[in-house]
Amino acid sequence: MSKSVWIIDDDEIYQMIIKKIITQSEIFNEFEYFLSAKAAIERLKKRAFPDVILVDINMPIMDGWQFLDYLRKEFRDELKNSLIFIVSSSIAYSDIEKAENYKEISGFITKPVNWSNLKMIENMIKRSI
Amino acid sequence: MANNNVKSSHNVFSRRPVITAVLIFLFLLIIGFFILWQRYQILIEQRLNEMSVITEVVEQNIAQTLKTGSSAALSLALQIDDNGDIKNFEEVASQLVDNNPNLDGVETVPDGIIKQVYPYEENKDAINYNILEDPDKRGEALKAIQEKKMFFAGPFELRQGGLAIIGRLPVFIKNEFWGFSAVIIHFDNLIENSGIKELGNGKYDFQFSKLHPVTGEEEFFLERSDNLDLSYSETINLPDGEWNIYVIPTKPQEPFNVLLPVAILIALFSGLFGWFIYYVLRQPGILSQKVKEQSGKLAQSELRFRTIFNQAAIGMMRVDSKTGMILEANQQCKDLLGYSDEELIKLDYRAVSHPEDTGTNTSMMEKLRNNEIREYSLQKRLIRKNGKYLWVNLNVSALWPKGEEATSHIAIIEDISAQIAAKQKLIENEKRFRSLVENSNEIILIINVQGEAIYFTPSLKRITGYDSLSLSGADIFSMIHPQEKESVLEKFMEANENPGTPITDVVMRMKTKFDNYIWVNATITNLLNEKSIDGYVVNLRDVTGKMEAEINLNKSYDFVMEQNKRLLNFAYIVSHNLRSHSSNFQSILELYEIDGNKDDKTCYINMLHKVSENLNQSLHDLNEVVSINTNLNIVAAPIKVRDYLIKSIDVLSLQIDRKRGKIINDIPEEMVVNFNPAYMESILLNFITNALRYSHQERDPVIKISAEKISDKWIMEIRDNGIGIDLDKYGEKVFGLYQTFTSNAESRGVGLFISKNQIEAMGGEIKIESCINKGTIFKILFK
C-alpha cells in the first residue's frame, strides 16, 4: 500500500534533512516537497490529495495558517481524507493553542522531526484506515 | 384749663336749648302778630274812610240829580197859569228834558191824572192814569201834597214801562191843590249819574233800598251777590225819597287775606329763628360732651403712655434740649445705665455718652434744636455707671411743636450690644473665610445667568494671569478649549437642573493670558436660588501638573505596552528563528551519526556550514534590532539629508546600474533634520535597496526621493514604480520582523522592521502607500 506525503517548508536545509529521514523511515513510498504554500496549492489543483501533509507555519507570502484556511475553503471534502500536521520550530504556546482550534489538524510537531514523530504519523494513518 | 372756660360759658339757655328756642319763637310770633294786627286795623280804617268818601260823593250826585229834577218840576209848575193850563208844554218840556241829561221826562198830573207827557211817544201810555187811585202810589203822592213839597216816589214800574223814580211837586193855585208837576228819572239813569259804578271800581258793591210805602218792608232794587254782608256796609239815607244806599266791600276779607302770607312768613321766620337758636345753643353742649370724651381718652392714653414709658423693654428718657440734662428716665433706662433715678436726673446726657460718639450726637442735637430736623437716630456707645460701654441704638424725637423753641426731647435707647457683637463676629468670620478663599490655590468664580463672572478670587491672576474676567458671557466660555467646551456646557446644564448639587470633576483646558492652556478641574454648583450668591459657583483647581503627569504616564504606558508587545514578538521571532537553526543542527547531526556513508557525511558537513551561516546572519540581524531597541541614547545631530542621499546613491551605484535604475534626488538643499547619521545612512540604503529589489520586471526602476516642509516639519517621500504590495492583505505587517511577502530569496523580513525602528527611535513616523504593479510610496515624517 502506497502512502504519500507532502512537505511544505521554506527552509531548504530542513527540506534536505526531512527528505533523508522520510526516505530512511520507509513509511511513505511517495513524497513531494514544496518551498512555498502557493506551489503546493498549484499542485493540489492537478492531482489527488496526499495521505499526509506536513506544513510549516512561518513562510513568506502564504503562511501555514493561510494555507489551511485556503484548503478549508477550496478543498473541503478532499481534506477529510488527509492527515495534516503542523511542523514548526515554534514552541510558542499561542501557536499550539491556535492549532487545536483547527479540527483538520491532526497534530503539532515541533522541529526537529525525528523517527518517533514519523512512527506516530504511521500509526495514525493505520488507525484512520 | 380749657375745660373750665367751656364750663363757665354754660348758662341756663344753653342748658335748655329747647325751651329757649320755643320762648324765642313765641316772642317773635307775638311781636309779629301784634304788628300785623295794627296793620290790619289800619287797613280796615282805610277802607271805612274810602267807603265814607264814596257814599258822600254818591249822596252828592244823587242829591244833584234830585235837585235838578226839583228845579225842572218847579220850572214846569211855573208855566201853569191860574187856570191850570200850560200854554206851551211841548216847548218847555223839551227844553227841560233835552238840556238835562239827568231827566228822562216830564209830565203834568192835574188832579192826580196824568195829562201831558214829554217825550210823548215814550210815555203816552201813562196819559189819563190816575196815580191817586193807585194804592201803591197814592201814599207817596198824598205825602207830597201834605208836606207841600217835592217828593220823589219810587222806584217802581212805570205804567208805560221801565223802572223809574218820579219826583212829584204839588202845585197849588190859590192855595188849592191843582195837581202835580212831575219829573221822570229812570232808575238806571239815576244810578249811572250817581257815579256808583265808577267809584266802586270792583272793590265795592252797592245796594239801593226803600221801605215799601204800603208794606213797610225794605225793598232792594239792585242785583246783589248773595255773599254780600251788609254788616260791613256804609249807609246813606236820602230823605227826599226815603231811600237807603249801601256801600258794601266785595271782598270783606281782603285785609286779612293781604296780611295772611305775611303772617305765615312771620310764623316761619320765628320758627326758623327758634330752630337756629336751638342749634346754636346746642353746640356748646355737644362740644363739652366731646371735650369730656376727649379728656377721658386723654387721661386714659396718658396713663397708658405712662405705663408704656415705665414698663417698656427699651430705655426712654426725657432730656432738656437746651441744657442736655436728663429730666426723667424709665426703669429700663436706669437698668441699662446702672444709675438710680436720683443720680440720673443730675446728669447731662453727654456724661453717659462715649466721648468718641458725642461729636455726631451733638451736631445732630444742634440740628434738632434749630428745627432743621424733628428726629434722628444713630448707633452709639453709652457709659454705664460701672464704666463699661454699652452699644445702643438711639432714637431722638423733639417734644416741642414744630417751628417753636426747643424745650425737651425724648431719647429712646435700645441695647444692641448683642447685635454689634454678632455683627463683629460675622465680619471676622467673613474676613477669615474671605482670606481662606482668596489665598487658596483654587480659583472661585461666581457666574451669573448671563454667563458673566460677577466674582472671582485673586488666585485668578496668580493662576491664569488675567487681572479680571471680561464681563461678556461668551468670553468666559471662549477661554475653554474647544474640545471641552461642549462637555462643560453640558455640565452647566446638569447643574442647572440640580440646584445646590455640586457637579464635580469637570476637567477642561483653560486658556491663560499667555495664550497657553492649563488643565483645570472644576466643580460647578448652581446657587441661583441662594439670594446672596445668585449664580453658579465655579471652583477651579489647576491640575495641569497632574494632568500632564497623567498624560505622560499614559504615553509611557502606551510606550511600555508597545515595547512589551515588541519584546514578545521579538522573543517569539528569536525563539522561532534560532530554534529552526538549532533544530536543523540537531537533525543534521543525528543523520550524520546514523549515516556511515562518506559522501553523505561530507554533504551533512556542508549543510552544517550552511546552517551555521544562516544562524550567523540571524544573530547579526537580531543584534541590529536589539541595538536599536535598547540604545535609547543615540546621538542625534543636524544632518543635511541631500548630502547623505548623494553618498548612498554612490554606495549603491553598482546595484543601481545592474538594475538599470534611475534615482531622482529631489531633496532640497536646505533640508536639515536632527537625526542619527548612521541611522540615516541605513534608512536611505534600505529604502533604495528595497525599491530596486522589488522593481517591476517590465520596466526599469525609477526611484524619486523628495521632501517638503509642512508646518515646520520635514516629510521625506520615497516613491518607486515597483511591484507594489497589497496593503489590504498585509497592512502593518509590512514593517514586522521576518515578514516577507515575496518569494524573493534576498528578502529576509528585517530591513523595513529596522528602518521603522530607527525612525521611531528618532521620534519620527513612517507611512506607506502602495498600489500593486504600480509602485510604493514611503513617507518619513521627521520630528
Side-chain angles (χ1 to χ4, degrees), chain B residues 276-338:
Chain B
F276 173 73
I277 291 295
Y278 167 74
Y279 180 79
V280 168
L281 290 182
R282 231 165 52 100
Q283 291 312 308
I286 291 166
L287 273 174
S288 76
Q289 185 61 34
K290 273 191 183 162
V291 165
K292 209 186 267 176
E293 277 171 27
Q294 291 291 342
S295 62
K297 276 184 192 167
L298 209 64
Q300 240 182 337
S301 70
E302 176 160 358
L303 184 68
R304 203 155 52 223
F305 281 118
R306 178 59 57 187
T307 313
I308 289 168
F309 183 78
N310 286 326
Q311 304 296 317
I314 47 174
M316 292 191 218
M317 55 165 77
R318 200 159 65 83
V319 182
D320 189 311
S321 306
K322 283 181 201 154
T323 61
M325 295 305 285
I326 295 163
L327 298 172
E328 56 180 317
N330 72 349
Q331 192 55 47
Q332 180 68 15
C333 198
K334 286 175 246 170
D335 291 349
L336 281 177
L337 293 170

Side-chain angles (χ1 to χ4, degrees), chain B residues 484-518:
Chain B
E484 282 101 32
K485 199 179 269 184
E486 204 164 308
S487 67
V488 171
L489 278 170
E490 271 170 28
K491 292 289 182 183
F492 264 99
M493 299 289 184
E494 196 184 328
N496 214 17
E497 283 161 20
N498 302 293
T501 313
I503 310 297
T504 55
D505 288 332
V506 184
V507 179
M508 63 179 118
R509 273 165 289 178
M510 220 175 109
K511 202 176 197 172
T512 67
K513 196 187 178 185
F514 318 106
D515 255 9
N516 60 339
Y517 282 98
I518 55 165

Side-chain angles (χ1 to χ4, degrees), chain A residues 11 13-14 16-17 20-21 24 56-58 60-61 88-92 94-95 110-115, chain B residues 572 576 579-580 583-584 586-588 590-591 594-595 600 603-604 607 610-611 614 730 740-743:
Chain A
D11 188 343
I13 304 288
Y14 165 76
M16 286 164 73
I17 294 164
K20 284 274 178 197
I21 296 169
Q24 285 170 8
D56 186 17
I57 296 172
N58 286 325
I61 306 169
S88 173
S89 58
S90 170
I91 46 167
S94 63
D95 283 336
T110 305
K111 287 177 185 175
V113 179
N114 53 27
W115 286 98
Chain B
Y572 173 80
H576 181 270
R579 277 203 85 256
S580 67
S583 67
N584 281 350
Q586 214 175 334
S587 298
I588 293 164
E590 271 175 27
L591 287 170
I594 296 160
D595 265 336
D600 283 346
C603 177
Y604 289 146
M607 278 166 76
K610 192 124 193 200
V611 173
N614 285 349
Y730 302 110
T740 50
F741 310 100
T742 62
S743 45

Side-chain angles (χ1 to χ4, degrees), chain B residues 192-355:
Chain B
E192 195 173 316
N193 287 329
S194 72
I196 281 172
K197 285 201 176 125
E198 288 81 15
L199 290 167
N201 200 22
K203 269 167 87 180
Y204 302 102
D205 260 357
F206 297 88
Q207 192 51 272
F208 196 94
S209 75
K210 183 188 177 186
L211 289 174
H212 195 276
V214 181
T215 60
E217 275 178 24
E218 195 173 19
E219 247 186 310
F220 294 93
F221 295 91
L222 290 175
E223 283 177 29
R224 48 174 284 196
S225 314
D226 294 334
N227 58 350
L228 288 183
D229 192 347
L230 293 178
S231 58
Y232 287 94
S233 62
E234 183 83 353
T235 316
I236 311 161
N237 289 306
L238 289 168
D240 282 354
E242 297 179 338
W243 297 309
N244 288 326
I245 296 171
Y246 298 93
V247 179
I248 310 153
T250 47
K251 292 172 190 159
Q253 305 296 327
E254 202 186 16
F256 179 77
N257 289 344
V258 166
L259 294 176
L260 188 64
V262 182
I264 292 168
L265 273 175
I266 286 170
L268 215 59
F269 169 75
S270 306
L272 270 172
F273 194 74
W275 184 83
F276 173 73
I277 291 295
Y278 167 74
Y279 180 79
V280 168
L281 290 182
R282 231 165 52 100
Q283 291 312 308
I286 291 166
L287 273 174
S288 76
Q289 185 61 34
K290 273 191 183 162
V291 165
K292 209 186 267 176
E293 277 171 27
Q294 291 291 342
S295 62
K297 276 184 192 167
L298 209 64
Q300 240 182 337
S301 70
E302 176 160 358
L303 184 68
R304 203 155 52 223
F305 281 118
R306 178 59 57 187
T307 313
I308 289 168
F309 183 78
N310 286 326
Q311 304 296 317
I314 47 174
M316 292 191 218
M317 55 165 77
R318 200 159 65 83
V319 182
D320 189 311
S321 306
K322 283 181 201 154
T323 61
M325 295 305 285
I326 295 163
L327 298 172
E328 56 180 317
N330 72 349
Q331 192 55 47
Q332 180 68 15
C333 198
K334 286 175 246 170
D335 291 349
L336 281 177
L337 293 170
Y339 288 102
S340 74
D341 227 343
E342 293 74 31
E343 287 168 325
L344 259 184
I345 55 168
K346 284 177 202 151
L347 285 173
D348 188 315
Y349 76 87
R350 283 170 284 251
V352 293
S353 299
H354 190 283

